[in-house]
Amino acid sequence: MSCRIAGVRLPTPLVLASGVWGTSPTLLERAARTGAGAVAAKTCTLAPRRGHRNPTAIDWGHGLINAMGLPNPGAAEEVELLRDAARRLAALGVPLIASIAADTVEDFGRAAAIVSEADPALIEVNISCPNVESSHGEMFASSAEAAAAVTRQVKSSTPIPCLVKLSPNVADIAAIARAVAAAGADGITAINTMPGMLVDAESGAPVLANGTGGISGAALKPIALRCVHEISGAVELPIIGTGGVITGTDAVEMLSAGAACVGIGSAIVFRGENAFSSILEELKVWLAEHGYRCLEDIRGRTHRGAGAAVVVTNPPPVPGWEKTRA
Ligand SMILES: Cc1cc2nc3c(=O)[nH]c(=O)nc-3n(C[C@H](O)[C@H](O)[C@H](O)COP(=O)(O)O)c2cc1C
């Protein structure tokens, strides 16, 4: 079950996705103790951020939608949390991933240099948060040039390997992946949430205080699989395939699309504290039942051919949907 990403060994292929659970060293440790093979801390920015007003995160029936607005204590205080987390994780052999975001290319470099003081195994460069405004005017993940500029800046600011986290909300994610690969990225995390909105029928008002938010969980899976498939066909970099992985079978699908390992976020909300151990066990059972010996046997199968079998594994649509069609 072990795998490698950017030269870093993960004891299991499941990675705690940034922001969902990992807000404190003790929570990061809990994820590692329950089966995560690497854990990503909450994204931090140079200055502290309060985040948006509540409601900020809602289960809408097919996943979550959130507009947290990157609440965090700022990079200087985050370093202390990362140091504590790194100490706890070292004993478990589980690598720590720091996560950074910024408003300008230069600040990405500064944030990378600061979190490097805690010596995380990897730094995830979050250029794809849909819930914050940047002085750049749009996400850095929106353009190949901006994404490459951030990557170059971070690479010149730290010796620690960097993963660049991409957005599904772009015309050509393979082109963005090629740009960050050429700029020196050591790996890619795909994907961040997809922008969306909930509207309250009675009042007609947006449900989230921020108006819009990012969709994660089950509804995101087909989008994430498509993105990982396209990226793995375009670049040689390892990918943390993230988005809508709730079961071991979802993890199989993500690895089949070309992911090196699998990000787990919203599943923790839907399956509870044992999400990692449950998904890991389901993945092992699936591999054994299908006669596969290791993860490498299933990695990238989507590039080997299509149309083998169609098995719908998702839950049925909302009860009563047939009536709306009548
Ligand atoms: C409540 C919440 C907070 C999040 N915060 C962050 C964050 O701070 N940084 C980041 O890169 N992604 C953040 N994400 C995105 C997740 O890391 C992940 O990319 C996304 O949720 C898709 O994975 P999932 O479907 O397994 O949840 C957040 C997602 C949720 C639901």
Short mmCIF file of all heavy atoms in Angstrom, two decimals, residues 15-60:
data_model
loop_
_atom_site.label_atom_id
_atom_site.label_comp_id
_atom_site.label_asym_id
_atom_site.label_seq_id
_atom_site.Cartn_x
_atom_site.Cartn_y
_atom_site.Cartn_z
N VAL A 15 -4.24 10.56 1.37
CA VAL A 15 -3.68 11.84 1.84
C VAL A 15 -4.81 12.70 2.38
O VAL A 15 -5.80 12.93 1.67
CB VAL A 15 -2.98 12.58 0.69
CG1 VAL A 15 -2.42 13.92 1.16
CG2 VAL A 15 -1.88 11.72 0.08
N LEU A 16 -4.67 13.17 3.61
CA LEU A 16 -5.66 14.12 4.14
C LEU A 16 -5.60 15.41 3.32
O LEU A 16 -4.55 16.06 3.25
CB LEU A 16 -5.36 14.44 5.61
CG LEU A 16 -6.21 15.56 6.22
CD1 LEU A 16 -7.68 15.15 6.29
CD2 LEU A 16 -5.69 15.95 7.60
N ALA A 17 -6.73 15.78 2.69
CA ALA A 17 -6.77 17.01 1.88
C ALA A 17 -6.75 18.24 2.79
O ALA A 17 -7.28 18.21 3.90
CB ALA A 17 -8.03 17.01 1.01
N SER A 18 -6.15 19.30 2.30
CA SER A 18 -6.00 20.51 3.10
C SER A 18 -7.35 21.10 3.52
O SER A 18 -8.28 21.19 2.72
CB SER A 18 -5.22 21.55 2.28
OG SER A 18 -5.14 22.77 2.99
N GLY A 19 -7.44 21.50 4.77
CA GLY A 19 -8.53 22.36 5.22
C GLY A 19 -9.74 21.67 5.80
O GLY A 19 -10.52 22.29 6.51
N VAL A 20 -9.93 20.38 5.52
CA VAL A 20 -11.18 19.76 5.92
C VAL A 20 -11.12 19.32 7.39
O VAL A 20 -12.08 19.48 8.14
CB VAL A 20 -11.52 18.57 5.01
CG1 VAL A 20 -12.89 18.00 5.36
CG2 VAL A 20 -11.48 18.98 3.55
N TRP A 21 -10.01 18.77 7.80
CA TRP A 21 -9.87 18.24 9.16
C TRP A 21 -8.62 18.79 9.82
O TRP A 21 -8.56 18.91 11.03
CB TRP A 21 -9.81 16.72 9.11
CG TRP A 21 -10.34 16.02 10.31
CD1 TRP A 21 -11.31 16.48 11.15
CD2 TRP A 21 -9.94 14.75 10.80
NE1 TRP A 21 -11.55 15.55 12.13
CE2 TRP A 21 -10.72 14.47 11.94
CE3 TRP A 21 -9.01 13.80 10.37
CZ2 TRP A 21 -10.61 13.30 12.67
CZ3 TRP A 21 -8.89 12.63 11.10
CH2 TRP A 21 -9.69 12.38 12.23
N GLY A 22 -7.62 19.08 8.98
CA GLY A 22 -6.30 19.36 9.52
C GLY A 22 -6.10 20.78 9.95
O GLY A 22 -5.33 21.53 9.36
N THR A 23 -6.81 21.21 10.94
CA THR A 23 -6.65 22.58 11.40
C THR A 23 -5.73 22.67 12.61
O THR A 23 -5.33 23.74 13.01
CB THR A 23 -8.02 23.19 11.76
OG1 THR A 23 -8.70 22.25 12.59
CG2 THR A 23 -8.85 23.42 10.52
N SER A 24 -5.41 21.53 13.22
CA SER A 24 -4.55 21.57 14.40
C SER A 24 -3.63 20.35 14.38
O SER A 24 -3.94 19.34 13.75
CB SER A 24 -5.39 21.54 15.67
OG SER A 24 -5.89 20.23 15.87
N PRO A 25 -2.46 20.43 15.09
CA PRO A 25 -1.54 19.30 15.11
C PRO A 25 -2.19 18.01 15.62
O PRO A 25 -1.92 16.93 15.12
CB PRO A 25 -0.44 19.77 16.07
CG PRO A 25 -0.48 21.25 15.99
CD PRO A 25 -1.91 21.61 15.77
N THR A 26 -3.10 18.13 16.60
CA THR A 26 -3.70 16.91 17.14
C THR A 26 -4.63 16.25 16.10
O THR A 26 -4.69 15.04 16.00
CB THR A 26 -4.51 17.20 18.42
OG1 THR A 26 -5.27 18.38 18.21
CG2 THR A 26 -3.62 17.37 19.62
N LEU A 27 -5.33 17.07 15.31
CA LEU A 27 -6.20 16.50 14.28
C LEU A 27 -5.37 15.87 13.16
O LEU A 27 -5.72 14.80 12.64
CB LEU A 27 -7.14 17.57 13.71
CG LEU A 27 -8.27 17.99 14.66
CD1 LEU A 27 -9.04 19.16 14.06
CD2 LEU A 27 -9.21 16.83 14.92
N LEU A 28 -4.26 16.52 12.81
CA LEU A 28 -3.38 15.94 11.79
C LEU A 28 -2.85 14.59 12.28
O LEU A 28 -2.79 13.62 11.51
CB LEU A 28 -2.21 16.89 11.48
CG LEU A 28 -2.59 18.21 10.78
CD1 LEU A 28 -1.40 19.14 10.72
CD2 LEU A 28 -3.12 17.94 9.37
N GLU A 29 -2.50 14.53 13.55
CA GLU A 29 -2.00 13.27 14.12
C GLU A 29 -3.09 12.19 14.09
O GLU A 29 -2.83 11.04 13.77
CB GLU A 29 -1.53 13.50 15.56
CG GLU A 29 -0.94 12.26 16.18
CD GLU A 29 -0.59 12.45 17.65
OE1 GLU A 29 -0.61 13.60 18.15
OE2 GLU A 29 -0.30 11.43 18.30
N ARG A 30 -4.32 12.61 14.40
CA ARG A 30 -5.43 11.63 14.39
C ARG A 30 -5.63 11.05 13.00
O ARG A 30 -5.87 9.85 12.83
CB ARG A 30 -6.72 12.30 14.85
CG ARG A 30 -7.14 11.78 16.21
CD ARG A 30 -7.97 12.75 16.94
NE ARG A 30 -9.38 12.67 16.63
CZ ARG A 30 -10.27 13.50 17.15
NH1 ARG A 30 -9.88 14.46 17.96
NH2 ARG A 30 -11.53 13.40 16.85
N ALA A 31 -5.53 11.91 11.97
CA ALA A 31 -5.67 11.41 10.59
C ALA A 31 -4.59 10.39 10.30
O ALA A 31 -4.84 9.33 9.70
CB ALA A 31 -5.59 12.58 9.61
N ALA A 32 -3.35 10.69 10.76
CA ALA A 32 -2.23 9.77 10.51
C ALA A 32 -2.45 8.46 11.26
O ALA A 32 -2.18 7.38 10.73
CB ALA A 32 -0.92 10.42 10.94
N ARG A 33 -2.95 8.54 12.49
CA ARG A 33 -3.15 7.32 13.28
C ARG A 33 -4.26 6.45 12.72
O ARG A 33 -4.31 5.25 12.98
CB ARG A 33 -3.48 7.68 14.74
CG ARG A 33 -2.28 8.16 15.52
CD ARG A 33 -2.53 8.18 17.01
NE ARG A 33 -1.37 8.71 17.71
CZ ARG A 33 -0.28 8.01 18.00
NH1 ARG A 33 -0.22 6.73 17.67
NH2 ARG A 33 0.74 8.58 18.60
N THR A 34 -5.20 7.05 11.96
CA THR A 34 -6.32 6.27 11.44
C THR A 34 -6.13 5.85 9.99
O THR A 34 -7.07 5.39 9.35
CB THR A 34 -7.65 7.05 11.59
OG1 THR A 34 -7.50 8.34 10.97
CG2 THR A 34 -8.05 7.23 13.04
N GLY A 35 -4.92 6.02 9.44
CA GLY A 35 -4.66 5.42 8.12
C GLY A 35 -4.22 6.38 7.03
O GLY A 35 -3.96 5.94 5.90
N ALA A 36 -4.14 7.69 7.30
CA ALA A 36 -3.64 8.60 6.26
C ALA A 36 -2.15 8.34 6.05
O ALA A 36 -1.40 8.17 7.01
CB ALA A 36 -3.88 10.05 6.67
N GLY A 37 -1.71 8.35 4.80
CA GLY A 37 -0.30 8.13 4.48
C GLY A 37 0.49 9.42 4.39
O GLY A 37 1.72 9.41 4.34
N ALA A 38 -0.22 10.54 4.34
CA ALA A 38 0.36 11.89 4.43
C ALA A 38 -0.77 12.81 4.83
O ALA A 38 -1.94 12.51 4.57
CB ALA A 38 0.95 12.34 3.10
N VAL A 39 -0.43 13.93 5.47
CA VAL A 39 -1.49 14.85 5.88
C VAL A 39 -1.14 16.28 5.47
O VAL A 39 -0.02 16.74 5.68
CB VAL A 39 -1.75 14.78 7.41
CG1 VAL A 39 -2.28 13.41 7.79
CG2 VAL A 39 -0.51 15.09 8.21
N ALA A 40 -2.11 16.95 4.86
CA ALA A 40 -1.91 18.35 4.47
C ALA A 40 -2.54 19.25 5.51
O ALA A 40 -3.71 19.06 5.90
CB ALA A 40 -2.52 18.61 3.10
N ALA A 41 -1.78 20.22 5.97
CA ALA A 41 -2.31 21.19 6.93
C ALA A 41 -3.25 22.16 6.21
O ALA A 41 -3.26 22.25 4.98
CB ALA A 41 -1.16 21.96 7.57
N LYS A 42 -4.04 22.88 7.00
CA LYS A 42 -4.89 23.94 6.45
C LYS A 42 -4.00 24.97 5.74
O LYS A 42 -2.89 25.27 6.19
CB LYS A 42 -5.64 24.60 7.61
CG LYS A 42 -6.41 25.86 7.26
CD LYS A 42 -7.77 25.53 6.74
CE LYS A 42 -8.47 26.76 6.15
NZ LYS A 42 -9.52 26.39 5.22
N THR A 43 -4.48 25.53 4.64
CA THR A 43 -3.72 26.56 3.93
C THR A 43 -3.48 27.76 4.84
O THR A 43 -4.40 28.23 5.51
CB THR A 43 -4.49 27.04 2.68
OG1 THR A 43 -4.66 25.92 1.80
CG2 THR A 43 -3.74 28.15 1.96
N CYS A 44 -2.25 28.27 4.83
CA CYS A 44 -1.98 29.53 5.54
C CYS A 44 -1.52 30.61 4.58
O CYS A 44 -1.03 30.33 3.48
CB CYS A 44 -0.96 29.33 6.66
SG CYS A 44 0.72 29.16 6.08
N THR A 45 -1.77 31.84 4.99
CA THR A 45 -1.36 33.02 4.22
C THR A 45 -0.36 33.81 5.06
O THR A 45 -0.22 33.55 6.26
CB THR A 45 -2.60 33.88 3.91
OG1 THR A 45 -3.36 34.04 5.12
CG2 THR A 45 -3.49 33.21 2.87
N LEU A 46 0.29 34.79 4.47
CA LEU A 46 1.29 35.56 5.23
C LEU A 46 0.66 36.20 6.47
O LEU A 46 1.12 36.01 7.59
CB LEU A 46 1.89 36.65 4.35
CG LEU A 46 3.10 36.29 3.48
CD1 LEU A 46 3.61 37.53 2.77
CD2 LEU A 46 4.20 35.62 4.30
N ALA A 47 -0.43 36.95 6.24
CA ALA A 47 -1.12 37.59 7.37
C ALA A 47 -2.29 36.71 7.81
O ALA A 47 -2.82 35.94 7.01
CB ALA A 47 -1.65 38.95 6.92
N PRO A 48 -2.67 36.81 9.11
CA PRO A 48 -3.84 36.03 9.56
C PRO A 48 -5.10 36.43 8.79
O PRO A 48 -5.22 37.57 8.34
CB PRO A 48 -3.99 36.43 11.03
CG PRO A 48 -2.71 37.10 11.41
CD PRO A 48 -2.11 37.65 10.16
N ARG A 49 -6.04 35.48 8.64
CA ARG A 49 -7.33 35.78 7.99
C ARG A 49 -8.45 35.27 8.87
O ARG A 49 -8.38 34.16 9.40
CB ARG A 49 -7.43 35.09 6.62
CG ARG A 49 -6.52 35.63 5.55
CD ARG A 49 -6.69 34.79 4.27
NE ARG A 49 -8.07 34.77 3.84
CZ ARG A 49 -8.59 35.61 2.94
NH1 ARG A 49 -7.82 36.51 2.36
NH2 ARG A 49 -9.86 35.54 2.61
N ARG A 50 -9.49 36.06 9.02
CA ARG A 50 -10.65 35.64 9.83
C ARG A 50 -11.54 34.65 9.07
O ARG A 50 -12.26 33.88 9.67
CB ARG A 50 -11.50 36.85 10.21
CG ARG A 50 -10.83 37.80 11.17
CD ARG A 50 -11.78 38.94 11.53
NE ARG A 50 -12.92 38.47 12.31
CZ ARG A 50 -12.90 38.33 13.63
NH1 ARG A 50 -11.82 38.64 14.30
NH2 ARG A 50 -13.95 37.91 14.28
N GLY A 51 -11.54 34.71 7.75
CA GLY A 51 -12.46 33.89 6.96
C GLY A 51 -13.81 34.56 6.84
O GLY A 51 -14.01 35.68 7.33
N HIS A 52 -14.75 33.87 6.17
CA HIS A 52 -16.07 34.47 5.94
C HIS A 52 -17.02 34.23 7.10
O HIS A 52 -16.77 33.40 7.97
CB HIS A 52 -16.67 33.89 4.65
CG HIS A 52 -15.88 34.23 3.42
ND1 HIS A 52 -15.46 35.50 3.13
CD2 HIS A 52 -15.42 33.45 2.42
CE1 HIS A 52 -14.79 35.50 2.00
NE2 HIS A 52 -14.74 34.27 1.53
N ARG A 53 -18.14 34.97 7.06
CA ARG A 53 -19.19 34.78 8.09
C ARG A 53 -19.90 33.45 7.87
O ARG A 53 -19.97 32.96 6.75
CB ARG A 53 -20.23 35.91 7.95
CG ARG A 53 -19.89 37.18 8.71
CD ARG A 53 -21.07 38.15 8.65
NE ARG A 53 -21.48 38.47 7.29
CZ ARG A 53 -22.68 38.21 6.77
NH1 ARG A 53 -23.60 37.60 7.49
NH2 ARG A 53 -22.99 38.55 5.53
N ASN A 54 -20.50 32.91 8.91
CA ASN A 54 -21.34 31.72 8.77
C ASN A 54 -22.67 32.12 8.13
O ASN A 54 -23.10 33.27 8.28
CB ASN A 54 -21.60 31.10 10.15
CG ASN A 54 -20.43 30.24 10.58
OD1 ASN A 54 -19.82 29.56 9.75
ND2 ASN A 54 -20.12 30.28 11.86
N PRO A 55 -23.38 31.19 7.45
CA PRO A 55 -22.97 29.81 7.20
C PRO A 55 -21.86 29.72 6.15
O PRO A 55 -21.92 30.37 5.11
CB PRO A 55 -24.25 29.13 6.71
CG PRO A 55 -25.11 30.22 6.19
CD PRO A 55 -24.75 31.47 6.93
N THR A 56 -20.86 28.86 6.47
CA THR A 56 -19.71 28.72 5.58
C THR A 56 -19.60 27.34 4.94
O THR A 56 -18.90 27.19 3.93
CB THR A 56 -18.40 28.98 6.35
OG1 THR A 56 -18.43 28.21 7.54
CG2 THR A 56 -18.21 30.44 6.67
N ALA A 57 -20.24 26.32 5.52
CA ALA A 57 -20.12 24.98 4.94
C ALA A 57 -21.41 24.21 5.18
O ALA A 57 -21.93 24.20 6.30
CB ALA A 57 -18.94 24.23 5.56
N ILE A 58 -21.93 23.60 4.12
CA ILE A 58 -23.23 22.92 4.21
C ILE A 58 -23.20 21.61 3.44
O ILE A 58 -22.64 21.55 2.33
CB ILE A 58 -24.34 23.85 3.64
CG1 ILE A 58 -24.55 25.04 4.57
CG2 ILE A 58 -25.65 23.11 3.42
CD1 ILE A 58 -25.38 26.13 3.97
N ASP A 59 -23.80 20.57 4.01
CA ASP A 59 -24.06 19.32 3.30
C ASP A 59 -25.35 19.53 2.53
O ASP A 59 -26.42 19.68 3.12
CB ASP A 59 -24.17 18.19 4.33
CG ASP A 59 -24.72 16.90 3.74
OD1 ASP A 59 -24.95 16.84 2.51
OD2 ASP A 59 -24.91 15.95 4.51
N TRP A 60 -25.30 19.54 1.20
CA TRP A 60 -26.50 19.85 0.39
C TRP A 60 -27.11 18.60 -0.25
O TRP A 60 -27.99 18.71 -1.11
CB TRP A 60 -26.16 20.91 -0.67
CG TRP A 60 -25.03 20.51 -1.58
CD1 TRP A 60 -23.71 20.52 -1.27
CD2 TRP A 60 -25.12 20.01 -2.91
NE1 TRP A 60 -22.97 20.07 -2.33
CE2 TRP A 60 -23.82 19.75 -3.36
CE3 TRP A 60 -26.18 19.76 -3.79
CZ2 TRP A 60 -23.53 19.25 -4.63
CZ3 TRP A 60 -25.89 19.27 -5.06
CH2 TRP A 60 -24.59 19.02 -5.47
#
